[in-house]
Structure formats: C-alpha cells, structure tokens
Amino acid sequence: MAWYSETTTTKKKSKKDLWIKCKKCHSHIYKSEWEENLNVCPNCNYHGSITSYERINLLFDKNTFKELFNNISPKDSLKFNDLKGSYKDKYEATIKKTGLSEAVVTGHGKINGIPAIVAVMDFRFLGGSLGSGTGEKILQAANYAYDNNLPYIIFSASGGARMQEGILSLMQMAKTCAGIARLNKKNIPYISVLINPTTGGVSASYAMVGDLNISEPGALIAFAGRRVIEQTIGEKLPDDFQTSEYLLEHGFIDSIVNRKDMKDYLSNVLSFYNR
Amino acid sequence: MKQKKKMTNKKKSKKPALSAWEIVSISRHPKRPILQNYLSLIVKNFVEFHGDRYYSDDKAMIGGFAEIGGQKVMLIGHNKGKKTNENIERNFGMAKPDGYRKALRLMKLAERFNIPIVTIIDTPGAFPGLEAEERGQAEAIAKNLTEMASIEVPIISVVIGEGGSGGALGIGVGDKILMLSNAIYSVISPEGCASILWRDAKYAPDAANALNLTASDLLRHGVIDEIIKEPGEGAHTDYEAIAESVKKSVLKNLEILKKLSVEELIQSRFEKYSGMGKFSVNQSADRQVNK
Ligand SMILES: [Zn+2]
C-alpha cells in the first residue's frame, strides 16, 4: 500500500543550495524567500513539504506545545529483510538522520488560545508510513483527547501502511479508527487535515473520517496508486485526478486552506464547538 | 494397521511444512471453495439484500439474512467467482465503494435488530479503478473501520481465501477473526511488495515469506483468534469437510460472544484492536518543542 515515494521539492544542490526549483511551475526561487513563504511557491502557490515540527510551530501559540508519547519508536517484530537489508537498520538510520522517533509527532497546545491535541505526520520518516508505533501514538493521542475532552486534529502525510511490519501495519488502520470511533461517541471534535501526500492505508483509515476533512492546495490524496489504476483500466488518467481540488469537487473534503491561513482557519472552526 | 502405527510413531513429521509461497498458491487455487460454495453447503434460508442506496449494487460484495446451523445471522462477504463470466460479473471479488457501503448498511440493520454479523473475507483487494477512487474508495473503507468499532452486536470474520489488505479489513473488524489454515491475510500482495521492495515481482516468494501472511503467522502475532484446519491437501479437496469445520467454529465462537453484554462486547473489541502491533517504548521524555 505504501507505493508513494517521491520527494516533493527538488533542490538545486549544485548552485550552493541558494535556489529552490518549484516542482510545479519550475521557477527558481531564492531559498530564503521560499522558506519565509512557508515552503510555498510565491509564484504559483505550490505547497512544498515542511517537517512536523515546522508545522507545529506554525500552528500553536508560543510556548504552549507539549509533546506527548515520544517514547514510542518502531520494532522489527517480523525480522523483515529485503534486498537492501533489514527493517531495523532502516528505521535506526532514519531515527538518526531525522531526530524523529516515529512517523508522527503527538502533543497538545493552544491554537489562538484554544486547547487541542494534535498528531502531525512526518513524511521524512519512512515515507510517513503507518507502522505499529505510528498507530500507537495516534491512538494514544486520541485517548488523551477522549479523557480530557479536547478536540483532536491529525495532519496526515503518508504513503500508506508500512509493509515491513506486514499484517501488523494493516491492523493499525482498525486500531486508529477504533480510537476515532470513541471520540465520535463522546461528541469530541475530530478534524483531519490531509497533507501532500495522503495515500493507501492512511487515506483509507483515520485521514478520511474527520468530522471535517481539510486539505492544502494541490495535495495528492488517493487510495490506489495512479500507475496501478492506469494498468487496471488501460488508459491515462486526468491530470487533476486524486488532487485535493478533485476530492473537493467530488465531495470528500470540506475545504482547501492555504498553509499561511491554516492556524486561523482551525481556531475559527474550533470556536464554533463552544467548549 | 501396521502402517498406521508407523505413522503415529513418526509423530507430526509426516508432512514438511509448506512454504509461505505454497500457501499463497493454495489460497488462490482455482478450485478453492468460495463464498457461494459455503452458501450452498452450510447456509439455509439466505435472503440476499441489494444495493448501497447511493449508487449501485456491487456484485463483488454480497449480504443478507442467513441461517447457519439454526442460528440467524447477517452474512456479508466478498463474492469471487470460479468461471470467467462469474468473475467478470463479480469483479474477481474486488469491491468498489458501493460494496463497502452496502456492507455497512446491512451491518447497521443487523445492529438495530440484535442480529449477529458474520463476514466472509476473500478478496485480492479493494478495486483499484477510476470510478472507485472517484466515489471514495478510501472514505468507504475508513468509514467501515470506524463504524465497525462500535457496532453493538457480535461480529465474526472468517478469512476463507485471500485477505487482501484494506479491501479485506473493510469488512474484517470482528470480535473474533477466524482463518482457514491455507488462507492468507496481508497488508500488500506478495507481488506488489516484491515489485516495490525487491524492485521485481519475481521475488514474490521472498516477499510472501517476509510479510508473515499465513494463518500461523497471524496467530503468532495475535491478529487472529483461531485457525480452522483444512482437510488433506487443502480446502479444495473436500468441500463438505471444510464447510462443516467453518460452521462449527463460527457457531462455537458466536456462543462465546453472545454471553457478553453490549458494554463488554464494545470494550473488549476496543481493547482487542488497541493491542494490535508491536513497538518499542523508551524512557519517557515528554518535551517542550516550540518557542
Ligand atoms: Zn511554483
């Protein structure tokens, strides 16, 4: 299910890392300008990737975010080996490289004064794939929201289930949704924000069952991969297929919100819940 | 007589264990019993209901009232075919969003009238097609996973052949998950996994082994509750025997679940799925991040 593995921005390394080439309009943007604009192209509004902590900093009021459950990390319980080596070596290298312990960061804080629990996925960690540790953190954060009557927001960015954990990764879909189901029963708000990309087993579980499903412009949101579908039906698919704009038009997301507006959008929506 | 004695002396070493890839082949055997066979062998009074009330009637997923050994249930399952024309009509058991929505509609109906639910899993996966994406394949499966977590009647899921990823799980959130001894249940097909992680589908046997997709793997990892042993060389060699075993196992597990109160049922289902998966827990170190 984790078929998506493409970096979202192409850095022009040769030119001293000064420039960023926009993946959509191909214009060259000063790196500093790109970053000041929250990794969004000032020319065409293409939303490049940002890390989980960058997003947390954009979202929460200063000094309010407290991380929770970051003592959880992957385990190679299947002793999974492919051509490139063991899963264990792979995630240990990823932990070292990214400083993350799993593909999601969880915690609580205040958004324009409104308290909320969040889970923010990070695509740098094994393509944001949903493993047992990822699912556990997302469930524990849901349980925290349940116990404390706080709204829950998940930012998804994932290629899908983590193949190296086999059936256990598939079961994380049921596990996380069981957490969401309890929030529904208790009328606790759950907002899903689908970031580029949200595909496979993550789109087919918690990401698609928000009371509100929100996205950023141009995000890829899909169940099956484009190539798989093209092979199945034997024809080319339209360019905008599986983009957030396509899903908005087909009724699966509520709104597309620019990154710079996301914080105010969310706090405004949460203010209606009168909690 | 003499021969039998010899066999028992040799204990269990009479047959070498099958490889994961051999089991994959048995699970996909062209003569392997499908839902329709179980319907005619162990189900009486099947009253099929059609349609999701939104778009269509998906023939890859069927459901309705059914009696198994005198027990009235809501039976829902993937509907593979054997002949080519059957498989074309039933889309090889690959359901579209309409199929998952029909399944949920019937589960909700069963819940209202306190009828236990039995789901039969046998699919290569949810259908990966344009119209499936357009009508929300991801949403349909996600909704089922969420709703099934709190359906207030017992749910038994039986994996009879192929448990293909999200398409299988979409009707698979049971209180008890039973699995035939040569069935498979996996996050991705061995071919799909091999083409991604081995860069070539010909490594599917290696991927099958690595993925831990056999019934004994799943039992060991705490994902399923019971293995239903297949006769002889596999379920395809004796339809009556395997159907009878499935019936017995379903009825036995239903009796156990029927003793639970609704609260106990929902709580134990939540705990069952909460406990799925294995991860490392390091020293707790909650920390402040944003400044
Ligand atoms: Zn651009």
Side-chain angles (χ1 to χ4, degrees):
Chain A
M1 289 176 101
W3 50 269
Y4 185 91
S5 63
E6 202 184 343
T7 49
T8 44
T9 54
T10 322
K11 284 181 186 169
K12 220 183 168 191
K13 275 231 167 79
S14 52
K15 302 252 154 128
K16 297 163 280 178
D17 270 353
L18 269 174
W19 298 88
I20 300 273
K21 188 184 170 189
C22 173
K23 215 192 151 192
K24 192 178 165 198
C25 72
H26 307 293
S27 50
H28 291 83
I29 314 288
Y30 263 122
K31 202 180 171 204
S32 57
E33 193 189 352
W34 179 269
E35 283 167 358
E36 250 166 62
N37 204 36
L38 317 176
N39 295 6
V40 174
C41 176
N43 194 36
C44 73
N45 202 33
Y46 170 77
H47 278 53
S49 61
I50 59 171
T51 70
S52 45
Y53 289 114
E54 284 168 343
R55 193 173 290 281
I56 283 163
N57 276 322
L58 286 180
L59 191 65
F60 287 105
D61 306 343
K62 271 187 181 164
N63 294 314
T64 65
F65 183 76
K66 182 150 188 295
E67 187 169 353
L68 296 169
F69 319 121
N70 72 341
N71 55 335
I72 291 165
S73 58
K75 188 173 189 168
D76 187 8
S77 46
L78 266 52
K79 307 251 178 294
F80 194 101
N81 283 289
D82 59 35
L83 273 190
K84 285 188 194 152
S86 78
Y87 169 47
K88 187 165 188 283
D89 289 345
K90 205 170 180 183
Y91 68 68
E92 279 177 352
T94 302
I95 288 170
K96 214 170 172 184
K97 194 176 150 202
T98 60
L100 299 163
S101 55
E102 248 298 350
V104 66
V105 176
T106 45
H108 65 82
K110 285 184 177 166
I111 304 169
N112 289 328
I114 301 177
I117 311 296
V118 289
V120 183
M121 298 192 77
D122 200 311
F123 197 76
R124 294 174 302 158
F125 197 97
L126 305 174
S129 57
L130 175 60
S132 297
T134 329
E136 181 68 16
K137 290 182 81 172
I138 286 168
L139 175 68
Q140 287 202 18
N143 292 346
Y144 191 95
Y146 184 88
D147 292 337
N148 295 282
N149 273 309
L150 289 167
Y152 189 27
I153 306 170
I154 303 180
F155 288 80
S156 295
S158 171
R162 193 175 294 166
M163 282 178 284
Q164 295 90 342
E165 293 191 21
I167 191 73
L168 296 177
S169 68
L170 185 73
M171 290 299 144
Q172 302 311 304
M173 295 167 63
K175 171 169 155 178
T176 51
C177 284
I180 301 302
R182 287 211 314 163
L183 299 184
N184 292 346
K185 285 271 161 190
K186 208 177 169 184
N187 282 332
I188 291 173
Y190 165 49
I191 299 174
S192 171
V193 187
L194 299 94
I195 302 300
N196 184 51
T198 298
T199 63
V202 168
S203 74
S205 59
Y206 53 86
M208 207 44 101
V209 288
D211 304 324
L212 301 170
N213 295 333
I214 311 298
S215 190
E216 287 185 339
L220 169 66
I221 304 169
F223 175 68
R226 175 179 273 266
R227 254 176 307 157
V228 174
I229 298 170
E230 284 178 343
Q231 280 164 12
T232 310
I233 63 172
E235 54 190 279
K236 284 267 170 203
L237 295 162
D239 278 348
D240 74 334
F241 187 61
Q242 301 179 322
T243 59
S244 43
E245 290 76 12
Y246 179 92
L247 269 89
L248 181 71
E249 197 183 314
H250 286 83
F252 291 100
I253 58 176
D254 289 280
S255 193
I256 296 172
V257 179
N258 282 317
R259 186 168 293 160
K260 64 180 169 52
D261 303 324
M262 189 63 83
K263 176 175 179 168
D264 290 345
Y265 182 91
L266 290 172
S267 70
N268 183 38
V269 164
L270 290 174
S271 75
F272 280 81
Y273 290 107
N274 192 26
R275 302 184 78 81
Chain B
M1 243 355 232
K2 215 174 164 186
Q3 214 177 1
K4 202 176 180 186
K5 220 171 195 177
K6 245 183 189 169
M7 292 279 274
T8 43
N9 281 343
K10 274 201 220 158
K11 277 202 222 160
K12 284 168 195 161
S13 62
K14 56 183 173 182
K15 266 188 287 178
L18 295 169
S19 72
W21 185 243
E22 285 168 323
I23 292 175
V24 170
S25 309
I26 298 173
S27 78
R28 296 169 176 172
H29 193 283
K31 292 212 169 78
R32 189 165 178 88
I34 54 177
L35 176 57
Q36 294 292 341
N37 299 117
Y38 293 95
L39 280 178
S40 46
L41 287 165
I42 53 168
V43 173
K44 288 209 176 82
N45 195 13
F46 181 54
V47 190
E48 186 181 351
F49 302 125
H50 296 274
D52 66 347
R53 297 293 189 271
Y54 298 109
Y55 188 82
S56 79
D57 181 45
D58 191 340
K59 291 174 179 60
M61 176 89 75
I62 59 170
F65 288 150
E67 284 178 42
I68 303 174
Q71 170 70 53
K72 289 185 161 67
V73 300
M74 177 64 85
L75 185 74
I76 295 164
H78 298 110
N79 192 30
K80 274 190 184 175
K82 282 216 175 78
K83 298 182 194 127
T84 309
N85 61 329
E86 288 171 352
N87 262 323
I88 289 167
E89 188 189 59
R90 301 171 194 166
N91 202 25
F92 298 85
M94 294 186 286
K96 293 173 186 160
D98 326 336
Y100 293 99
R101 290 180 185 131
K102 171 165 70 175
L104 182 60
R105 178 174 81 84
L106 299 183
M107 286 191 260
K108 291 295 226 181
L109 177 68
E111 181 183 38
R112 281 176 60 211
F113 299 100
N114 198 26
I115 301 163
I117 297 164
V118 177
T119 68
I120 304 292
I121 293 168
D122 189 15
T123 180
F127 185 59
L130 187 143
E131 80 246 65
E133 293 286 316
E134 196 174 32
R135 295 204 291 279
Q137 189 69 284
E139 192 272 347
I141 292 172
K143 178 122 190 196
N144 282 18
L145 303 186
T146 310
E147 293 290 326
M148 286 182 87
S150 48
I151 292 254
E152 296 185 345
V153 289
I155 304 173
I156 291 183
S157 301
V158 192
V159 188
I160 59 166
E162 282 183 280
S165 198
L169 188 62
I171 57 165
V173 189
D175 298 297
K176 297 278 182 190
I177 309 174
L178 320 176
M179 190 164 166
L180 269 58
S181 50
N182 294 313
I184 59 168
Y185 197 175
S186 182
V187 66
I188 186 169
S189 71
E191 291 85 350
C193 181
S195 64
I196 296 169
L197 293 180
W198 277 260
R199 305 264 167 220
D200 193 334
K202 75 166 191 247
Y203 290 98
D206 298 277
N209 190 43
L211 281 166
N212 282 233
L213 45 63
T214 69
S216 56
D217 292 329
L218 267 74
L219 190 68
R220 185 160 44 89
H221 291 300
V223 172
I224 60 167
D225 299 278
E226 193 175 307
I227 295 175
I228 302 173
K229 201 175 170 332
E230 294 179 29
E233 305 291 302
H236 57 282
T237 60
D238 191 340
Y239 281 26
E240 281 81 13
I242 189 61
E244 200 53 38
S245 300
V246 167
K247 175 177 156 182
K248 262 190 201 150
S249 180
V250 166
L251 291 175
K252 182 189 77 187
N253 282 286
L254 257 184
E255 282 313 308
I256 297 169
L257 293 173
K258 277 159 71 182
K259 291 194 179 86
L260 302 177
S261 70
V262 170
E263 292 72 27
E264 287 168 336
L265 185 72
I266 299 303
Q267 183 60 25
S268 70
R269 196 182 298 150
F270 179 70
E271 280 164 14
K272 178 188 181 77
Y273 287 93
S274 289
M276 294 260 186
K278 291 180 188 115
F279 46 86
S280 308
V281 182
N282 316 313
Q283 297 280 62
S284 180
D286 296 348
R287 57 191 168 129
Q288 193 96 18
V289 189
N290 70 330
K291 292 170 215 93

